[in-house]
Amino acid sequence: DTGVSQNPRHKITKRGQNVTFRCDPISEHNRLYWYRQTLGQGPEFLTYFQNEAQLEKSRLLSDRFSAERPKGSFSTLEIQRTEQGDSAMYLCASSLGANTGELFFGEGSRLTVL
Amino acid sequence: AQTVTQSQPEMSVQEAETVTLSCTYDTSESDYYLFWYKQPPSRQMILVIRQEAYKQQNATENRFSVNFQKAAKSFSLKISDSQLGDAAMYFCAYRSPAGGTSYGKLTFGQGTILTVHP
C-alpha cells in the first residue's frame, strides 16, 4: 500500500497522559499536513511541513501540541497532558508541491480522552 | 481569512437519481482552487472533483459535476445516477494559489452527510 499511513488508528487514554501519533506520507511527497476533525465537523488545519521544516502552525495548536518531521519523511504529532477536549480524529495528509492541489489523506487516528 | 459554508447538514437521494450539494465561500482572492472531497464512514477522505477559479468551464468527472459561480462565490456538486457507494460525508474545500502564505492548505466546510436509498 503506497497511500498515507497513520498509527495508531485508535487511542484511548486518560486525561493528563501523553499521546503520540505517527504519519507516514506517500514517499515522494514533500508537503505534510495535520488536521483535526471533531464529530460531524470539517477538518481544521493544525500544522504544515515542507520537507523537515514546520512552516505554519494554527492557533488551534496549543503549547501542549508538538509536531515534528525529522529528515522530511514521517511525522509525529504529540499531545502532552491530554484533556477531554482533545478527543477528535487527527488526520494527516501529504502532497507533492502545491500546484497539483490534491492532498492525499490517511485514515486518521482517533483519540478518546477519558 | 477564507471561509467555506455548507448549509445542508444532511441530504438524501434515491438510487439512480440526481442530487446537488451546496457550498458557498468567502474570499478576497481572485485566483484559487475549489474541491469536493468524499469521506466514507471510517475510511479516508478522497478527492472527488477539483475546479480552478480561472477556468470558466465547470469541471466534470464521470457522474460528478460542479456548478461554479465565481461572482456569487458558489460551488455546488451534482451527483448523477446516484449509487449506494456514493453514501458518505462530502466536504467542500478552498485552497489559495501556490506561492501564497497558505502553503497549499485546505479550508473545509462543515460537511454534508449524503444518504442513498435503494
Side-chain angles (χ1 to χ4, degrees):
Chain A
D1 186 10
T2 57
V4 178
S5 176
Q6 292 190 245
N7 289 288
R9 294 291 312 282
H10 196 179
K11 179 72 175 180
I12 300 173
T13 190
K14 294 182 178 179
R15 188 177 54 186
Q17 298 296 304
N18 299 344
V19 297
T20 299
F21 300 113
R22 175 178 170 127
C23 172
D24 288 273
I26 294 172
S27 59
E28 65 268 25
H29 285 186
N30 60 337
R31 294 176 179 242
L32 187 147
Y33 307 80
W34 284 99
Y35 284 83
R36 181 171 69 188
Q37 184 179 21
T38 53
L39 195 62
Q41 298 297 314
E44 297 173 295
F45 171 78
L46 291 179
T47 190
Y48 156 75
F49 290 86
Q50 181 164 322
N51 300 311
E52 67 277 7
Q54 187 175 20
L55 297 184
E56 187 175 353
K57 293 194 294 185
S58 163
R59 287 174 294 177
L60 294 174
L61 216 63
S62 74
D63 292 344
R64 296 184 297 105
F65 288 71
S66 63
E68 295 182 340
R69 192 184 183 197
K71 302 179 182 178
S73 55
F74 70 92
S75 176
T76 59
L77 177 67
E78 180 183 17
I79 309 174
Q80 296 181 328
R81 305 181 303 281
T82 53
E83 302 173 356
Q84 288 185 326
D86 297 331
S87 296
M89 177 75 84
Y90 290 86
L91 298 172
C92 177
S94 69
S95 73
L96 181 61
N99 292 335
T100 64
E102 181 174 359
L103 269 61
F104 292 83
F105 284 83
E107 295 187 357
S109 293
R110 180 169 296 283
L111 174 64
T112 302
V113 182
L114 303 177
Chain B
Q2 295 80 22
T3 59
V4 178
T5 302
Q6 293 178 248
S7 59
Q8 305 157 316
E10 297 183 28
M11 292 284 285
S12 64
V13 63
Q14 291 292 132
E15 197 174 7
E17 298 294 310
T18 295
V19 65
T20 298
L21 308 184
S22 300
C23 173
T24 59
Y25 57 94
D26 187 28
T27 183
S28 58
E29 296 174 318
S30 59
D31 189 20
Y32 47 86
Y33 300 83
L34 296 166
F35 305 84
W36 279 98
Y37 275 85
K38 170 185 177 182
Q39 187 178 41
S42 301
R43 296 181 61 185
Q44 71 259 52
M45 202 172 312
I46 57 173
L47 178 66
V48 174
I49 198 165
R50 165 176 49 213
Q51 175 79 44
E52 291 87 349
Y54 64 86
K55 291 186 177 180
Q56 293 185 339
Q57 186 174 6
N58 289 324
T60 299
E61 289 286 344
N62 300 315
R63 299 183 294 108
F64 299 87
S65 62
V66 299
N67 184 3
F68 172 49
Q69 301 290 327
K70 191 173 184 179
K73 297 180 182 175
S74 170
F75 183 61
S76 61
L77 174 70
K78 185 172 79 171
I79 306 174
S80 304
D81 185 26
S82 296
Q83 300 175 0
L84 295 178
D86 294 334
M89 176 83 94
Y90 285 81
F91 291 99
C92 178
Y94 174 102
R95 184 175 78 77
S96 294
T101 58
S102 71
Y103 298 109
K105 75 179 182 188
L106 297 175
T107 299
F108 287 89
Q110 305 91 324
T112 297
I113 298 173
L114 178 65
T115 301
V116 181
H117 299 288

